[in-house]
Amino acid sequence: MKFLDCTLRDGGYYNAWDFSPELINDYLAAMQAAGVDIIELGLRSLKNSGFNGACAYTTDEFINSLPLPEGMTIGVMVNGSELVGDVPQQEALQLLFPRAASHSPVDLVRIACHVHEFKQALPAATWLKERGYSVGFNLMQVADRTEEEVKALAREAVNYPLDALYFADSMGSMNPEQVATTIQWFRSEWKGPMGIHTHDNMSLALSNTLRALDEGVTWVDATVTGMGRGPGNARTEELAIEVAERRGQPANLVPLMALLRKHFKPMQVHYGWGTNPYYYLAGKYGIHPTYIQEMLSDSRYSEEDVLAVIEHLRVEGGKKFSLNTLDAARHFYRGEPKGQWSPKTRFAGREVLLLGTGPGVARHRAALERYIREHKPLVLALNTQSAIDAELIDLRVACHPVRLLADCEAHTRLPQPLITPYSMLPTDVRDSLADKEVLDFGLNVQAESFAFEATHCTLPTSLVVGYALAVATSGQAARILMAGFDGYGADDPRSGEMRQLFEHYQAAEGALPLTAITPTRYGLHSESVYAL
């Protein structure tokens, strides 16, 4: 059995491979004490775009500067795409590994490649073996491959001197039975050592790894606290216990537990790896975990946004990560911006009172209700806001497909007509609103843009407050009073997004005067509902 820890390689997707010297030194000592056989210290790469730390390149000079544990196998990983790209393979290998293994601290080179790169990348194994390196190949995204495809890959591998043939559950979508079946397919053609690299989308990384060991796999990967791309991997601290039990040899976990407390738990709080319901859905639908990782680290994505993108990728396919695909998926509306209803019929010349979802509405309810009864503004409520008497609300506005789906029952019970981009919504959302009186006002999302047309608008974001402002503006209202826009804490990233939205709106041609009449942190012009 070969127990391999790849924290400094896989975990680097969170911190740009920029691990502190103190962490690395503590890590090396902990790995030796825990019974780890191989440490993969990072990537070795020719790419140099943006800042990445030392573990993104893991040069011989860097490795030689470390207090390497005696007897530990030292590994690095190369992305197969760098061996099948513009640079000829042997030239790339010579640049990556200028010294033979006898003059390098590196013992093991693993090459990670997609199925379509495998055949072309395999000759690298011969070149590396001739220079004295051990070689492993990690096949990614095999979970959805057929039996014949897996066997064909194994037949290709037979022709090359691999020390281990790995497969990775890249999407975290496999269960133990699928792992066992995949191993059996490989084994029908490949008789050499096999390895597995699991992801924890569905909290099955450890179970899948142990099942693989039961099925005869002898190389297993893990990372400290599971730190790795997306939800992460099987956790070294748990696998170390299982490996020690199978070997009948106790492992010293004290340095590893100290490493967690001192370095990795604080990093996990900061970067947020680990499984959650979003990663679970991504695993279930075979969606690349980087989509989730990117959205969770971007304050623009609300809970509704993340779920909507997952649903889009489930239908359209999301096995290969692309920022362009992610950006397109965030635009949830179908077809050209259009609508069937003009807000001028209800808004022209009216004072509009826009009710947000902040606590200011409930706190100042009596004053707001008194103002509405005396001055009769057109009252427009966001989503299902119900902190004041329902009879005083004229219209509701909602635009996010996931939020609409979640609130459809509430909307059908509420008496007010609903303004929404109805004709542009997904079919299931339209069906959920079939019994509701809707006013169809179209929506186009375009960065840093506001535009107000007769039956549709352009917004920089799908936030419902931006849509509500555009409805009133297209409707040629006189002015907008705002209640319940209290704002978030100073450190909450949503505060910045809302401030930016209001700034873009107020700078847009045709924008209406905005006045907050309950407390707000957004820097809006403010007056008191009590003075009104």
Side-chain angles (χ1 to χ4, degrees):
M1 191 189 308
K2 301 287 187 183
F3 181 12
L4 185 152
D5 184 279
C6 51
T7 306
L8 303 185
R9 190 268 304 173
D10 212 345
Y13 286 100
Y14 274 100
N15 67 345
W17 296 274
D18 190 19
F19 295 93
S20 71
E22 182 186 12
L23 180 151
I24 294 174
N25 292 346
D26 291 347
Y27 163 83
L28 294 172
M31 293 303 99
Q32 185 177 43
V36 170
D37 304 300
I38 305 167
I39 45 176
E40 192 168 70
L41 290 175
L43 292 167
R44 187 160 285 192
S45 175
L46 300 175
K47 294 182 178 179
N48 191 4
S49 177
F51 175 79
N52 289 312
C55 291
Y57 306 100
T58 328
T59 61
D60 283 0
E61 290 73 19
F62 168 67
I63 298 173
N64 283 328
S65 73
L66 303 175
L68 299 175
E70 192 173 340
M72 185 81 76
T73 299
I74 305 300
V76 296
M77 177 170 275
V78 177
N79 281 318
S81 58
E82 296 200 43
L83 303 179
V84 299
D86 297 333
V87 181
Q89 187 172 109
Q90 290 200 11
E91 183 181 335
L93 286 165
Q94 187 64 53
L95 289 166
L96 290 165
F97 300 97
R99 303 181 183 92
S102 58
H103 294 91
S104 169
V106 175
D107 306 302
L108 169 68
V109 178
R110 295 204 299 175
I111 298 169
C113 60
H114 293 93
V115 168
H116 68 274
E117 300 163 338
F118 188 51
K119 185 174 181 179
Q120 219 179 329
L122 274 168
T126 302
W127 190 95
L128 289 162
K129 288 294 286 186
E130 287 173 351
R131 283 152 183 79
Y133 293 98
S134 297
V135 182
F137 258 79
N138 285 34
L139 267 165
M140 298 186 286
Q141 297 187 11
V142 299
D144 58 346
R145 298 291 166 173
T146 65
E147 179 178 0
E148 186 45 48
E149 285 175 314
V150 171
K151 289 181 175 179
L153 293 166
R155 284 193 293 272
E156 292 287 349
V158 167
N159 300 314
Y160 293 90
L162 306 185
D163 293 280
L165 177 61
Y166 265 79
F167 71 96
D169 178 20
S170 305
M171 308 300 181
S173 59
M174 301 179 83
N175 61 40
E177 291 304 317
Q178 291 170 312
V179 166
T181 299
T182 302
I183 293 168
Q184 290 162 14
W185 291 348
F186 273 110
R187 274 282 173 241
S188 68
E189 305 289 340
W190 170 260
K191 307 304 180 186
M194 279 193 67
I196 188 169
H197 178 93
T198 59
H199 282 198
D200 207 30
N201 298 60
M202 300 170 71
S203 301
L204 292 173
L206 182 62
S207 300
N208 287 340
T209 301
L210 297 178
R211 180 60 181 272
L213 285 170
D214 293 338
E215 297 293 329
V217 160
T218 53
W219 291 55
V220 289
D221 285 12
T223 58
V224 176
T225 65
M227 186 183 188
R229 193 192 305 219
N233 314 107
R235 289 178 280 276
T236 299
E237 54 271 26
E238 295 170 0
L239 191 55
I241 295 168
E242 297 292 340
V243 168
E245 184 176 300
R246 288 172 184 251
R247 287 173 167 170
Q249 300 172 349
N252 177 8
L253 299 180
V254 173
L256 179 53
M257 294 301 104
L259 181 73
L260 265 65
R261 174 185 52 77
K262 183 177 178 182
H263 297 291
F264 281 87
K265 286 300 183 182
M267 274 202 301
Q268 189 171 21
V269 170
H270 178 73
Y271 291 109
W273 68 83
T275 193
N276 59 43
Y278 302 126
Y279 283 121
Y280 186 93
L281 286 169
K284 186 175 178 64
Y285 299 139
I287 296 168
H288 201 292
T290 301
Y291 284 111
I292 311 301
Q293 183 175 326
E294 286 289 327
M295 288 190 286
L296 295 183
S297 65
D298 187 335
S299 63
R300 296 176 304 160
Y301 290 87
S302 67
E303 291 85 354
E304 294 97 334
D305 291 339
V306 178
L307 290 168
V309 170
I310 290 171
E311 177 61 18
H312 172 86
L313 294 171
R314 182 184 73 83
V315 175
E316 300 297 330
K319 294 186 184 303
K320 183 177 181 181
F321 176 72
S322 162
L323 280 172
N324 290 334
T325 301
L326 177 57
D327 188 54
R330 193 176 185 234
H331 299 162
F332 318 111
Y333 308 99
R334 299 175 183 272
E336 292 296 313
K338 60 182 179 180
Q340 305 297 323
W341 172 75
S342 170
K344 284 184 186 178
T345 59
R346 303 289 291 266
F347 285 77
R350 299 285 303 275
E351 178 181 80
V352 174
L353 174 57
L354 183 58
L355 299 179
T357 55
V361 175
R363 184 176 176 186
H364 305 287
R365 172 175 178 165
L368 289 168
E369 291 182 348
R370 188 163 55 248
Y371 181 81
I372 294 167
R373 289 190 173 101
E374 290 181 7
H375 295 274
K376 297 182 171 47
L378 181 70
V379 181
L380 181 62
L382 301 187
N383 297 315
T384 56
Q385 158 65 270
S386 299
I388 69 169
D389 189 339
E391 292 182 358
L392 299 178
I393 297 174
D394 297 299
L395 299 166
R396 293 188 180 275
V397 59
C399 63
H400 200 294
V402 172
R403 181 64 184 266
L404 279 163
L405 204 55
D407 291 345
C408 65
E409 286 189 24
H411 278 303
T412 55
R413 289 195 305 269
L414 292 166
Q416 300 85 11
L418 175 66
I419 305 170
T420 191
Y422 183 78
S423 58
M424 302 178 67
L425 295 172
T427 303
D428 57 343
V429 183
R430 293 203 305 271
D431 290 346
S432 74
L433 297 172
D435 298 326
K436 179 72 181 174
E437 181 186 355
V438 295
L439 305 174
D440 182 15
F441 185 72
L443 168 58
N444 177 41
V445 179
Q446 185 174 318
E448 299 185 7
S449 298
F450 266 103
F452 315 107
E453 309 295 339
T455 58
H456 72 271
C457 62
T458 297
L459 308 177
T461 171
S462 57
L463 285 173
V464 66
V465 60
Y467 183 64
L469 294 174
V471 168
T473 310
S474 290
Q476 297 181 0
R479 68 166 178 163
I480 301 174
L481 304 180
M482 305 178 71
F485 293 88
D486 304 53
Y488 304 96
D491 296 332
D492 193 311
R494 292 173 294 181
S495 290
E497 183 177 20
M498 287 289 282
R499 281 180 178 272
Q500 192 173 54
L501 177 72
F502 291 134
E503 288 170 5
H504 282 147
Y505 172 76
Q506 292 174 314
E509 185 177 350
L512 300 172
L514 302 181
T515 301
I517 60 172
T518 59
T520 182
R521 297 187 181 98
Y522 291 131
L524 298 168
H525 171 69
S526 293
E527 298 178 9
S528 172
V529 63
Y530 295 96
L532 294 180

